[in-house]
Amino acid sequence: MTEVRPNGQYDDKSLGELVAIATGSVSRLVKSELELAKLELKGDAKKAALGSTLFAVAGVIGGVVVILLSIALAYGLVALGIWNWAAFLIVAGFYVLLAAVLILIGLWRMKKMSGAKRSRQSVMEDFAMLRRGGDSEDKPAPAE
């Protein structure tokens, strides 16, 4: 009969039995690690959900504040003696100009994108090599 010593060692076990014990131990260890990871990720997911909800609420509040400040600006222009319709039209025109500037900046930034030139070139070279039947003699060595 096999005895287990106080330090966790096994006596009188064959190599196959020891391998089975080790495999079982590794399996339990992996399962335990996966359970721990699941618990940690579940906690992080709850925190991320709460954080994103708070950001969304802050965004809505920020939008309401912008609307209220726009109305206040328009009424401030009315107080300076500008007609009501003209004051609100000036504020709306300001937002149209702001949107146009942001669109132009966005387009400018999009034009500066490289479009993964190296990846595209590498894929094209791979396709060319496949069409040639796998000859790679004239293909340049990859840069490191």
Side-chain angles (χ1 to χ4, degrees):
M1 177 158 195
T2 303
E3 289 185 31
V4 179
R5 292 184 185 169
N7 61 1
Q9 292 181 344
Y10 294 96
D11 285 338
D12 299 333
K13 290 283 185 183
S14 69
L15 183 60
E17 291 172 323
L18 291 175
V19 169
I21 291 170
T23 304
S25 297
V26 169
S27 176
R28 281 192 307 275
L29 177 64
V30 169
K31 286 179 184 177
S32 298
E33 290 292 335
L34 287 173
E35 285 298 318
L36 177 62
K38 286 180 186 178
L39 290 174
E40 288 177 340
L41 289 175
K42 185 183 283 188
D44 287 346
K46 288 180 182 178
K47 290 175 187 174
L50 177 62
S52 62
T53 302
L54 294 175
F55 279 128
V57 170
V60 169
I61 291 172
V64 170
V65 167
V66 167
I67 292 170
L68 292 174
L69 288 175
S70 300
I71 294 170
L73 177 61
Y75 278 122
L77 292 173
V78 168
L80 291 175
I82 299 176
W83 297 311
N84 288 350
W85 62 269
F88 282 90
L89 198 58
I90 290 170
V91 172
F94 167 75
Y95 283 115
V96 167
L97 286 174
L98 179 63
V101 167
L102 292 175
I103 287 171
L104 289 174
I105 292 172
L107 288 173
W108 176 65
R109 298 283 297 181
M110 295 289 276
K111 286 182 181 179
K112 292 179 74 174
M113 289 177 34
S114 67
K117 290 178 183 176
R118 283 187 272 173
S119 297
R120 195 173 344 158
Q121 179 66 29
S122 174
V123 168
M124 296 306 281
E125 289 173 356
D126 292 343
F127 281 142
M129 181 184 67
L130 288 173
R131 279 189 220 118
R132 289 191 308 266
D135 295 335
S136 59
E137 299 145 4
D138 50 1
K139 183 177 178 181
E144 292 186 32

